[in-house]
Amino acid sequence: MSADHHHHDHDHNHGHHHDNRYTDMQARVRALETVLTEKGLIDPAAIDAIVETYETKIGPRNGAHVVAKAWSDPDFSGWLKRDATAAIASLGYAGRQGEHMRAVFNTPDTHNLVVCTLCSCYPWSVLGLPPVWYKAPAYRSRAVIDPRGVLAEFGLTLPETKKIRVWDSTAELRYLVIPERPEGTEGMSEDELAKLVSRDAMIGTAIARAESGKKRP
Amino acid sequence: MNGPHDLGGQMGFGLVSPEKDEPYFHAEWEKRALGLTLSCGAFGAWSIDESRHARENVPPADYLAASYYEIWTRALEVLLERHGFATRAEIDAGHKQIEPAKPKRILTADMVPGVLAGGGPCDRPVETEPLFQPGDKVRTKNFNPATHTRLPRYARARTGVVEEVQGSYVFPDDNAHGKGENPQWVYTVVFDGGEIWGEGADPTLTVSIDAWESYLEHV
């Protein structure tokens, strides 16, 4: 779903007001940056630093480390249940959109799925920036009413008897799903375990698998 | 407000289409839009609640057709104009025309690590005891404010159970409109799928929201 495609549809299908300011986002955003830079209100190098942070430093590997530690260390797992913000901060992950963390544990009975139906709330400190689908209407509209249908689109079919708990992030709590540890991973190190934990498994649109974690997003 | 953003339970948007090996950004302008939004947030002129409300006010047809970074950009322009930092005419022209308002803070590159690591905690102490306890049966408010709220339409006038008292936080319904932070207790409230969706609901489904105290009443 490219942004250009949407703008094309918008301009030609909706006659309410012909708003061509947004047909070229590259130009629009460049103009905005130029105006604010000329006014001395922003530092373009700060934008570079923000982008670099989220491209290279803050991403789902942070969350995978948290999960692997929880799988390996019962004390840490208990701390994560009681005070996720502090437990996660002890590994060095804190800050913007991770100020108030909650960890929700999948069990043999219950699968957890996280959504923000009202906007795009997401635990940036442990998962980085959200993927496009997480912010798009299809996921936000259906996760709360048809989670099994949504999961099927991710290739995940849960047993019919498994309970599904959907967490709608309507306040400032940010949720990290702790998937179940896959069988056959006894004796693996934390680093090896972390490789089995995908971003989607920590949102709840996947589970952790012993064999194919590396290929998954 | 009953805006285009309140999407829970709406239909017709098609399949979720996850992208394999999705990049963090799909165009250069998305990087700048992210950085601009965070840089301008650092001015200290508006709250996250006011910025969310500005995004909700993007006209529905535009909101649903836009990528999320476009929604952010449209809202940012509204906020910049509202608070005296840049006018639509300036952005259309691509150059400064008037002197801006003075921000509380200008984000420079050296400040970025500290600002991102610090974030913006919004827990605040309150002097009252929580009205509800885990296990309490509660009913959510039925209302349709034209202003900002974080109680989604699908969860209004529904009966659920308090699972946890999550602490006390800034109340966005007030804070988005400059009426003060007025913190309240926040509770995780769990609803059976059938209570929300009625006939045909998935019997294995429960949905929770995080609800400010004034959204709730005892049943």
Side-chain angles (χ1 to χ4, degrees):
Chain A
M1 38 182 279
S2 85
D4 288 346
H5 176 71
H6 283 293
H7 300 150
H8 186 83
D9 285 351
H10 163 64
D11 284 345
H12 294 277
N13 292 344
H14 301 287
H16 56 98
H17 59 104
H18 192 81
D19 187 354
N20 62 12
R21 283 194 301 253
Y22 297 96
T23 51
D24 183 347
M25 285 305 295
Q26 184 76 35
R28 187 73 184 165
V29 173
R30 192 187 303 119
L32 190 52
E33 185 172 346
T34 302
V35 170
L36 295 172
T37 304
E38 286 176 359
K39 292 186 174 213
L41 292 170
I42 61 156
D43 173 9
I47 298 180
D48 297 338
I50 290 166
V51 170
E52 195 207 338
T53 301
Y54 287 108
E55 281 191 318
T56 63
K57 296 193 179 78
I58 302 180
R61 292 305 94 203
N62 295 8
H65 180 194
V66 174
V67 172
K69 179 99 178 154
W71 285 347
S72 311
D73 179 346
D75 288 342
F76 182 79
S77 179
W79 189 13
L80 200 54
K81 277 181 189 153
R82 288 191 311 276
D83 186 353
T85 311
I88 292 169
S90 77
L91 301 182
Y93 312 131
R96 191 184 168 84
Q97 289 302 307
E99 296 93 340
H100 311 289
M101 289 297 306
R102 296 292 182 273
V104 294
F105 290 68
N106 285 348
T107 67
D109 294 333
T110 303
H111 181 85
N112 294 288
L113 180 69
V114 179
V115 64
C116 174
T117 63
L118 296 174
C119 51
S120 61
C121 298
Y122 189 75
W124 288 22
S125 60
V126 281
L127 297 186
L129 299 173
V132 167
W133 59 259
Y134 184 86
K135 302 180 280 185
Y139 182 75
R140 287 165 54 196
S141 62
R142 287 176 51 227
V144 284
I145 188 172
D146 180 24
R148 283 178 193 275
V150 167
L151 295 179
E153 283 149 35
F154 285 84
L156 179 61
T157 304
L158 297 174
E160 279 177 21
T161 51
K162 191 139 187 164
K163 293 178 195 158
I164 300 186
R165 167 69 178 275
V166 179
W167 302 76
D168 191 355
S169 315
T170 55
E172 297 300 339
L173 307 171
R174 296 291 169 266
Y175 291 98
L176 180 71
V177 175
I178 309 299
E180 287 182 275
R181 180 172 176 164
E183 286 179 19
T185 59
E186 301 77 12
M188 278 192 177
S189 71
E190 265 182 47
D191 284 350
E192 289 169 320
L193 289 168
K195 293 192 176 91
L196 307 180
V197 184
S198 67
R199 176 198 69 203
D200 289 1
M202 294 179 280
I203 301 171
T205 55
I207 57 174
R209 294 175 197 273
E211 68 282 10
S212 57
K214 283 179 192 171
K215 291 181 195 152
R216 289 171 177 265
Chain B
M1 69 179 288
N2 295 343
H5 65 289
D6 188 357
L7 284 163
Q10 286 197 54
M11 296 178 186
F13 296 108
L15 303 181
V16 180
S17 31
E19 181 184 344
K20 198 174 181 308
D21 300 324
E22 181 177 335
Y24 284 118
F25 301 98
H26 290 76
E28 283 302 306
W29 70 263
E30 292 189 344
K31 299 179 184 178
R32 309 315 285 177
L34 168 75
L36 284 167
T37 299
L38 269 55
S39 294
C40 295
F43 294 169
W46 55 78
S47 64
I48 192 166
D49 303 305
E50 183 177 347
S51 62
R52 286 201 182 111
H53 192 53
R55 291 167 196 157
E56 296 162 7
N57 270 287
V58 172
D62 296 329
Y63 184 99
L64 295 172
S67 71
Y68 216 78
Y69 286 117
E70 180 179 335
I71 294 171
W72 275 24
T73 304
R74 285 172 176 267
L76 178 59
E77 292 187 10
V78 170
L79 294 166
L80 289 169
E81 181 147 54
R82 181 184 300 161
H83 292 275
F85 295 108
T87 65
R88 268 285 152 79
E90 288 179 305
I91 302 165
D92 286 346
H95 289 289
K96 172 182 173 179
Q97 294 169 350
I98 56 164
E99 287 301 319
K102 192 169 165 45
K104 289 185 192 138
R105 181 169 69 162
I106 292 171
L107 186 71
T108 51
D110 58 304
M111 292 159 65
V112 166
V115 165
L116 295 182
C122 56
D123 50 336
R124 302 284 186 274
V126 293
E127 287 174 8
T128 56
E129 292 298 309
L131 277 182
F132 307 101
Q133 295 302 325
D136 284 0
K137 206 169 165 187
V138 290
R139 188 168 176 82
T140 54
K141 204 163 164 176
N142 185 18
F143 67 169
N144 288 279
T147 47
H148 184 61
T149 183
R150 296 292 290 182
L151 181 60
R153 267 174 288 182
Y154 76 81
R156 293 180 194 162
R158 304 294 185 196
T159 300
V161 175
V162 171
E163 186 174 72
E164 198 169 344
V165 185
Q166 295 284 14
S168 50
Y169 295 85
V170 172
F171 183 49
D173 304 38
D174 284 350
N175 199 40
H177 300 281
K179 294 179 182 168
E181 293 191 334
N182 307 332
Q184 295 184 10
W185 290 102
V186 167
Y187 306 86
T188 297
V189 179
V190 188
F191 307 92
D192 284 334
E195 168 67 10
I196 296 176
W197 307 116
E199 195 176 297
D202 182 339
T204 64
L205 171 65
T206 53
V207 178
S208 64
I209 62 166
D210 295 322
W212 276 265
E213 192 165 84
S214 62
Y215 295 168
L216 304 174
E217 59 186 36
H218 276 292
V219 174

